[in-house]
Amino acid sequence: MGRRGEDAPRGGHALTSGGQEAEVARWLDDLLGPGHGRRVIAIRDDRVLVSKVSPGLPARVVEAVTNLSALFDPAALRDCMPPGLPPAKAWHAAASAIVREAKAAGRLDGTGAAEVLAGIDSAAALLASCCWTGGDAASWRPSDAERSALDDAEARLARGARGLFTRVYGTWEGRPVENHCPGAEAARALFAAARAALEGDGRAGPACPGDGRPVR
């Protein structure tokens, strides 16, 4: 019988046998109440990962994004950017156009396109928070403060970093219980490619999202 999580509320029921996954599930019920919707994804030596994302969705999104190579090609993104828009809006328009073109060509279905566009919206919001001087994206270059903000955002997006995609619910068996964001790999790749396209410094963006296992 395992001991209760250190941050679990008082008065909860005791853990019973049935495996660590069942124990964590009961711990979450005690902490968040019934119907919270989170499921256990992985129990590791250093942390426990949980998620509210439906099974199968991460794999579909990663597959869809991986097949859209233009999203990770700075030159292709620059070619698609409409003139006269500030950096984040120009990238958003270019990335969205690439997705719509793939849908029109039958390389992406409606559900896949909607899921990828949702990720583009999130990346654009982050980008806008770092690029505030505006102006035409074609001639925009980040100020020192903007470059620092971009560097900080990339650091907080880095695999293994406990930042933008991490919420810690508490501690179970000495391990933090964290949310697992299956879209994190795609967001990292989208953001890096967007930054390379906007800064125009010749940096190569990622070819596709990396392996963000566990994805299920």
Side-chain angles (χ1 to χ4, degrees):
M1 181 180 296
R3 60 183 174 82
R4 290 177 52 79
E6 295 168 15
D7 292 345
R10 295 179 181 276
H13 49 263
L15 295 175
T16 59
S17 60
Q20 288 185 318
E21 185 170 329
E23 293 180 356
V24 174
R26 284 189 288 273
W27 181 86
L28 285 168
D29 287 343
D30 279 350
L31 185 68
L32 302 173
H36 55 78
R38 292 160 184 82
R39 59 194 178 92
V40 180
I41 298 298
I43 299 175
R44 299 176 175 171
D45 291 340
D46 63 338
R47 71 188 68 182
V48 177
L49 300 178
V50 300
S51 179
K52 293 186 71 173
V53 178
S54 302
L57 176 61
R60 292 200 309 273
V61 174
V62 170
E63 181 180 3
V65 173
T66 300
N67 291 331
L68 300 176
S69 59
L71 283 178
F72 311 102
D73 182 343
L77 288 165
R78 284 193 293 270
D79 287 344
C80 292
M81 288 183 188
L85 292 180
K89 288 185 177 180
W91 173 80
H92 184 274
S96 298
I98 289 169
V99 174
R100 289 195 296 270
E101 181 182 348
K103 180 184 175 184
R107 294 186 288 114
L108 200 60
D109 63 21
T111 299
E115 291 166 351
V116 176
L117 287 171
I120 288 172
D121 288 346
S122 296
L126 177 59
L127 198 62
S129 73
C130 300
C131 307
W132 54 79
T133 53
D136 192 330
S139 58
W140 175 84
R141 290 295 179 271
S143 65
D144 289 344
E146 287 173 314
R147 192 178 296 277
S148 177
L150 288 163
D151 288 343
D152 180 65
E154 278 203 305
R156 294 174 67 198
L157 284 170
R159 186 183 297 177
R162 293 183 178 179
L164 294 175
F165 292 112
T166 302
R167 174 185 173 186
V168 178
Y169 296 97
T171 305
W172 179 84
E173 293 285 350
R175 286 165 277 191
V177 180
E178 302 177 357
N179 68 300
H180 167 60
C181 179
E185 293 296 323
R188 292 179 188 112
L190 286 171
F191 188 84
R195 182 176 181 182
L198 290 171
E199 293 190 77
D201 58 5
R203 295 191 312 157
C208 64
D211 184 358
R213 294 184 185 279
V215 175
R216 55 177 178 165

